[in-house]
Short mmCIF file of all heavy atoms in Angstrom, two decimals:
data_model
loop_
_atom_site.label_atom_id
_atom_site.label_comp_id
_atom_site.label_asym_id
_atom_site.label_seq_id
_atom_site.Cartn_x
_atom_site.Cartn_y
_atom_site.Cartn_z
N SER D 1 15.17 -5.93 16.70
CA SER D 1 15.50 -5.38 15.38
C SER D 1 14.80 -4.06 15.09
O SER D 1 15.21 -3.34 14.18
CB SER D 1 15.16 -6.40 14.29
OG SER D 1 13.76 -6.58 14.19
N ILE D 2 13.72 -3.75 15.83
CA ILE D 2 12.98 -2.51 15.54
C ILE D 2 13.13 -1.48 16.65
O ILE D 2 12.43 -0.47 16.65
CB ILE D 2 11.49 -2.80 15.29
CG1 ILE D 2 10.84 -3.46 16.51
CG2 ILE D 2 11.31 -3.66 14.04
CD1 ILE D 2 9.33 -3.58 16.40
N ARG D 3 14.01 -1.74 17.60
CA ARG D 3 14.28 -0.73 18.63
C ARG D 3 14.94 0.49 17.98
O ARG D 3 15.77 0.34 17.07
CB ARG D 3 15.20 -1.29 19.70
CG ARG D 3 14.57 -2.31 20.62
CD ARG D 3 15.58 -2.83 21.63
NE ARG D 3 15.04 -3.88 22.45
CZ ARG D 3 15.77 -4.60 23.30
NH1 ARG D 3 17.08 -4.35 23.42
NH2 ARG D 3 15.20 -5.56 24.01
N PRO D 4 14.60 1.68 18.43
CA PRO D 4 15.22 2.88 17.85
C PRO D 4 16.74 2.85 17.91
O PRO D 4 17.42 3.27 16.96
CB PRO D 4 14.65 4.02 18.71
CG PRO D 4 13.33 3.50 19.18
CD PRO D 4 13.53 2.03 19.39
N SER D 5 17.29 2.34 19.01
CA SER D 5 18.76 2.28 19.15
C SER D 5 19.37 1.34 18.11
O SER D 5 20.43 1.63 17.55
CB SER D 5 19.13 1.80 20.56
OG SER D 5 18.56 0.53 20.83
N THR D 6 18.69 0.23 17.83
CA THR D 6 19.18 -0.71 16.82
C THR D 6 19.10 -0.11 15.42
O THR D 6 20.04 -0.19 14.63
CB THR D 6 18.37 -2.02 16.85
OG1 THR D 6 18.43 -2.58 18.17
CG2 THR D 6 18.93 -3.03 15.86
N LEU D 7 17.96 0.50 15.11
CA LEU D 7 17.78 1.10 13.78
C LEU D 7 18.77 2.23 13.55
O LEU D 7 19.24 2.45 12.42
CB LEU D 7 16.34 1.62 13.65
CG LEU D 7 15.24 0.55 13.66
CD1 LEU D 7 13.87 1.20 13.65
CD2 LEU D 7 15.39 -0.37 12.46
N LYS D 8 19.10 2.96 14.63
CA LYS D 8 20.05 4.06 14.51
C LYS D 8 21.46 3.54 14.24
O LYS D 8 22.24 4.14 13.48
CB LYS D 8 20.03 4.91 15.78
CG LYS D 8 20.90 6.15 15.71
CD LYS D 8 20.78 6.98 16.98
CE LYS D 8 21.66 8.23 16.92
NZ LYS D 8 21.55 9.03 18.16
N ALA D 9 21.80 2.41 14.87
CA ALA D 9 23.15 1.87 14.72
C ALA D 9 23.34 1.10 13.42
O ALA D 9 24.44 1.05 12.87
CB ALA D 9 23.46 0.95 15.91
N MET D 10 22.28 0.51 12.91
CA MET D 10 22.39 -0.31 11.70
C MET D 10 22.58 0.54 10.46
O MET D 10 22.00 1.62 10.34
CB MET D 10 21.12 -1.16 11.54
CG MET D 10 20.98 -2.27 12.56
SD MET D 10 22.14 -3.61 12.29
CE MET D 10 21.37 -4.41 10.89
N PRO D 11 23.38 0.09 9.49
CA PRO D 11 23.49 0.80 8.21
C PRO D 11 22.12 0.86 7.53
O PRO D 11 21.32 -0.08 7.65
CB PRO D 11 24.47 -0.07 7.41
CG PRO D 11 25.23 -0.84 8.44
CD PRO D 11 24.29 -1.06 9.58
N VAL D 12 21.87 1.93 6.81
CA VAL D 12 20.57 2.12 6.16
C VAL D 12 20.26 0.97 5.21
O VAL D 12 19.13 0.49 5.14
CB VAL D 12 20.54 3.47 5.39
CG1 VAL D 12 19.23 3.61 4.62
CG2 VAL D 12 20.70 4.63 6.36
N GLY D 13 21.27 0.49 4.48
CA GLY D 13 21.06 -0.59 3.53
C GLY D 13 20.54 -1.85 4.19
O GLY D 13 19.65 -2.53 3.66
N GLU D 14 21.08 -2.18 5.38
CA GLU D 14 20.64 -3.37 6.10
C GLU D 14 19.17 -3.25 6.51
O GLU D 14 18.39 -4.20 6.41
CB GLU D 14 21.51 -3.58 7.35
CG GLU D 14 22.98 -3.72 7.07
CD GLU D 14 23.32 -5.10 6.52
OE1 GLU D 14 22.69 -6.09 6.93
OE2 GLU D 14 24.21 -5.17 5.66
N THR D 15 18.80 -2.06 6.99
CA THR D 15 17.41 -1.83 7.39
C THR D 15 16.47 -1.91 6.20
O THR D 15 15.38 -2.47 6.29
CB THR D 15 17.27 -0.45 8.08
OG1 THR D 15 18.18 -0.39 9.19
CG2 THR D 15 15.86 -0.23 8.57
N VAL D 16 16.89 -1.35 5.08
CA VAL D 16 16.07 -1.40 3.85
C VAL D 16 15.83 -2.84 3.43
O VAL D 16 14.71 -3.22 3.07
CB VAL D 16 16.75 -0.61 2.71
CG1 VAL D 16 16.07 -0.90 1.38
CG2 VAL D 16 16.73 0.88 3.00
N VAL D 17 16.85 -3.68 3.49
CA VAL D 17 16.71 -5.09 3.12
C VAL D 17 15.72 -5.79 4.04
O VAL D 17 14.85 -6.54 3.59
CB VAL D 17 18.08 -5.80 3.18
CG1 VAL D 17 17.91 -7.31 3.03
CG2 VAL D 17 19.00 -5.27 2.09
N MET D 18 15.85 -5.54 5.33
CA MET D 18 14.95 -6.19 6.30
C MET D 18 13.50 -5.78 6.07
O MET D 18 12.59 -6.61 6.01
CB MET D 18 15.38 -5.83 7.72
CG MET D 18 14.63 -6.57 8.81
SD MET D 18 13.22 -5.64 9.47
CE MET D 18 14.08 -4.42 10.47
N VAL D 19 13.27 -4.46 5.92
CA VAL D 19 11.91 -3.95 5.70
C VAL D 19 11.34 -4.45 4.38
O VAL D 19 10.17 -4.84 4.30
CB VAL D 19 11.91 -2.41 5.75
CG1 VAL D 19 10.54 -1.87 5.36
CG2 VAL D 19 12.28 -1.92 7.15
N ALA D 20 12.16 -4.47 3.33
CA ALA D 20 11.70 -4.94 2.02
C ALA D 20 11.30 -6.41 2.08
O ALA D 20 10.28 -6.81 1.50
CB ALA D 20 12.79 -4.73 0.98
N THR D 21 12.09 -7.21 2.78
CA THR D 21 11.77 -8.63 2.92
C THR D 21 10.41 -8.81 3.60
O THR D 21 9.56 -9.58 3.14
CB THR D 21 12.85 -9.36 3.73
OG1 THR D 21 14.12 -9.19 3.09
CG2 THR D 21 12.55 -10.85 3.84
N VAL D 22 10.22 -8.08 4.70
CA VAL D 22 8.94 -8.16 5.42
C VAL D 22 7.78 -7.71 4.53
O VAL D 22 6.73 -8.37 4.46
CB VAL D 22 8.99 -7.31 6.71
CG1 VAL D 22 7.61 -7.24 7.36
CG2 VAL D 22 10.01 -7.87 7.68
N ALA D 23 7.96 -6.58 3.85
CA ALA D 23 6.89 -6.02 3.03
C ALA D 23 6.47 -6.98 1.91
O ALA D 23 5.28 -7.19 1.67
CB ALA D 23 7.34 -4.68 2.44
N VAL D 24 7.46 -7.57 1.23
CA VAL D 24 7.14 -8.47 0.12
C VAL D 24 6.46 -9.74 0.63
O VAL D 24 5.50 -10.23 0.02
CB VAL D 24 8.42 -8.81 -0.68
CG1 VAL D 24 8.13 -9.88 -1.72
CG2 VAL D 24 8.98 -7.57 -1.34
#
């Protein structure tokens, strides 16, 4: 989930949700 290729392909919104979940 944190590979550059995955982050590049994923929509920004999906990545924001994942990071926000981890951070909280």
Side-chain angles (χ1 to χ4, degrees):
S1 68
I2 60 172
R3 288 179 185 172
S5 58
T6 303
L7 294 175
K8 185 178 180 180
M10 290 288 285
V12 175
E14 302 284 324
T15 304
V16 168
V17 170
M18 187 265 285
V19 173
T21 302
V22 172
V24 173

